[in-house]
């Protein structure tokens, strides 16, 4: 149970960390985030391997798959918690995320704060759209395959 909660806390903190990272396409295209390119160009464990562009793309794809697999495992164990524990955990994670966002915002210059606020708002809109889509999809009849 303790390991599950630690894993869930770690997984919930990742979006906050990602928000603090610079945006924009990297050398591998629009799907290349700063985390992948930095790890493969000298600042991470792959930096000293002199990887080709194709190798960086394949490693980036594998790292992305690992992230999604980890999230699926966290969700699987989250479902095993009681509804009260799930709500308590989600509320605690949301509070921690809001505090971290406030701390990050406090470090920024006024013009950066405006852009940060716009990014946060856009992410909230995307989450709301995604929740709406999931609710709509759950209401759709299952197609036989």
């Amino acid at each position: 149970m303790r390991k599950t909660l630690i894993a869930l806390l770690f997984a919930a903190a990742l979006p906050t960390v990602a928000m603090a990272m610079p945006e924009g396409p990297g050398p591998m295209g629009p799907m290349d985030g700063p985390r992948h390119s930095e790890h493969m160009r000298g600042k991470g464990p792959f930096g000293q391997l002199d990887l080709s562009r194709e190798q960086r793309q394949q490693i980036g794809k594998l790292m992305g798959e690992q992230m999604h697999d980890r999230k699926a495992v966290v969700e699987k164990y989250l479902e095993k918690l009681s509804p009260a524990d799930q709500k308590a955990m989600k509320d605690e994670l949301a509070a921690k995320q809001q505090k971290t966002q406030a701390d990050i915002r406090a470090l920024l210059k006024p013009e950066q704060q405006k852009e940060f606020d716009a990014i946060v708002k856009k992410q909230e809109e995307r989450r709301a759209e995604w929740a709406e889509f999931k609710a709509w999809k759950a209401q759709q009849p299952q197609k036989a395959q």
Side-chain angles (χ1 to χ4, degrees), residues 55-66:
Q55 289 173 315
R56 287 192 310 266
Q57 288 175 336
Q58 290 172 345
I59 290 172
K61 182 180 176 185
L62 291 172
M63 291 172 75
E65 289 172 359
Q66 176 191 16

Side-chain angles (χ1 to χ4, degrees), residues 34-85:
R35 291 168 282 177
H36 294 160
S37 61
E38 287 177 4
H39 282 295
M40 292 183 238
R41 281 190 282 122
K43 296 185 181 179
F46 303 109
Q48 298 177 8
L49 295 178
D50 192 30
L51 299 173
S52 69
R53 181 181 184 96
E54 182 178 321
Q55 289 173 315
R56 287 192 310 266
Q57 288 175 336
Q58 290 172 345
I59 290 172
K61 182 180 176 185
L62 291 172
M63 291 172 75
E65 289 172 359
Q66 176 191 16
M67 182 181 69
H68 291 293
D69 291 346
R70 181 177 295 155
K71 183 177 179 183
V73 169
V74 168
E75 289 294 324
K76 180 175 81 172
Y77 287 102
L78 177 62
E79 291 173 358
K80 293 181 180 183
L81 294 175
S82 71
D85 286 340

Side-chain angles (χ1 to χ4, degrees), residues 1-130:
M1 175 85 167
R2 180 177 282 169
K3 289 182 183 179
T4 302
L5 290 176
I6 291 171
L8 292 172
L9 290 172
F10 177 73
L14 289 177
T16 304
V17 173
M19 276 184 31
M21 294 185 165
E23 290 186 342
M28 294 175 7
M31 297 302 289
D32 174 36
R35 291 168 282 177
H36 294 160
S37 61
E38 287 177 4
H39 282 295
M40 292 183 238
R41 281 190 282 122
K43 296 185 181 179
F46 303 109
Q48 298 177 8
L49 295 178
D50 192 30
L51 299 173
S52 69
R53 181 181 184 96
E54 182 178 321
Q55 289 173 315
R56 287 192 310 266
Q57 288 175 336
Q58 290 172 345
I59 290 172
K61 182 180 176 185
L62 291 172
M63 291 172 75
E65 289 172 359
Q66 176 191 16
M67 182 181 69
H68 291 293
D69 291 346
R70 181 177 295 155
K71 183 177 179 183
V73 169
V74 168
E75 289 294 324
K76 180 175 81 172
Y77 287 102
L78 177 62
E79 291 173 358
K80 293 181 180 183
L81 294 175
S82 71
D85 286 340
Q86 287 182 14
K87 183 175 180 350
M89 189 189 77
K90 287 179 181 179
D91 291 345
E92 184 178 343
L93 292 174
K96 288 181 182 285
Q97 182 179 12
Q98 288 175 350
K99 182 189 178 311
T100 302
Q101 284 181 355
D103 292 345
I104 291 170
R105 191 177 188 283
L107 295 172
L108 302 175
K109 296 175 185 173
E111 63 273 2
Q112 292 172 321
Q113 288 178 348
K114 290 177 186 175
E115 189 169 338
F116 180 79
D117 292 342
I119 292 168
V120 169
K121 182 179 178 185
K122 187 175 182 180
Q123 287 179 337
E124 289 171 357
E125 290 170 356
R126 284 183 173 174
R127 275 190 216 103
E129 288 175 6
W130 183 246

